[in-house]
Amino acid sequence: MVAALIATVSALASPTIAAIDPATEPRYMGHASADRDQWQRIDFRSERLAVRTAPHIKVAIQTRGPSMQGLIRIPGAPASNFDTARGMTVVDLINVGDETRGYAEIVALEIVFTQTSPGQYYQVFAVDCGRGN
């Protein structure tokens, strides 16, 4: 994985999605706020130190029903856009910092929706936590 990746969104094919196990990583389940233009904070603490200070992480956003679209970020870092068109998408998020000074501890994510149905539920969980490369 390349630590300098600018936040990229990549939709997964169905066979790959089946391999994602949300029970193995920190996850959050919530519903879309009625205020579509408001950032929602997601508590995203992990017991693993490598996750908490990773230079980047991949998170999956899963929903049922219509497509959800919006932005997601690690607080203080650039936001990535997403679209759950087929029910799930995986997003690369870069963290604030560098190898010399270290990376910020990831204790939360922030998400804002630009397209959703009122009260629609979603789930966010870590898929991969990168360390350099």
Side-chain angles (χ1 to χ4, degrees):
M1 308 216 134
V2 178
L5 276 178
I6 301 298
T8 315
V9 177
S10 59
L12 294 176
S14 296
T16 307
I17 290 174
I20 297 174
D21 181 7
T24 63
E25 294 295 339
R27 67 178 170 193
Y28 172 84
M29 191 162 196
H31 68 278
S33 170
D35 299 325
R36 277 200 261 174
D37 296 333
Q38 297 296 317
W39 287 94
Q40 297 177 41
R41 185 176 173 89
I42 299 171
D43 183 28
F44 208 73
R45 296 184 189 272
S46 174
E47 299 302 317
R48 297 185 318 166
L49 181 60
V51 175
R52 293 192 316 238
T53 58
H56 57 91
I57 63 171
K58 281 188 181 188
V59 296
I61 304 167
Q62 181 178 25
T63 188
R64 290 193 178 147
S67 170
M68 295 179 92
Q69 296 176 2
L71 299 168
I72 188 167
R73 66 184 177 197
I74 298 168
S80 296
N81 63 324
F82 68 87
D83 183 344
T84 63
R86 298 182 184 210
M88 179 185 287
T89 190
V90 174
V91 183
D92 291 324
L93 300 176
I94 59 171
N95 196 0
V96 178
D98 58 43
E99 287 189 25
T100 305
R101 295 176 292 152
Y103 294 93
E105 186 173 1
I106 302 170
V107 297
L109 299 177
E110 295 174 331
I111 193 167
V112 63
F113 296 99
T114 57
Q115 177 182 312
T116 185
S117 297
Q120 187 172 1
Y121 282 87
Y122 64 94
Q123 182 172 316
V124 177
F125 53 92
V127 176
D128 180 37
C129 303
R131 263 272 165 229
N133 299 50

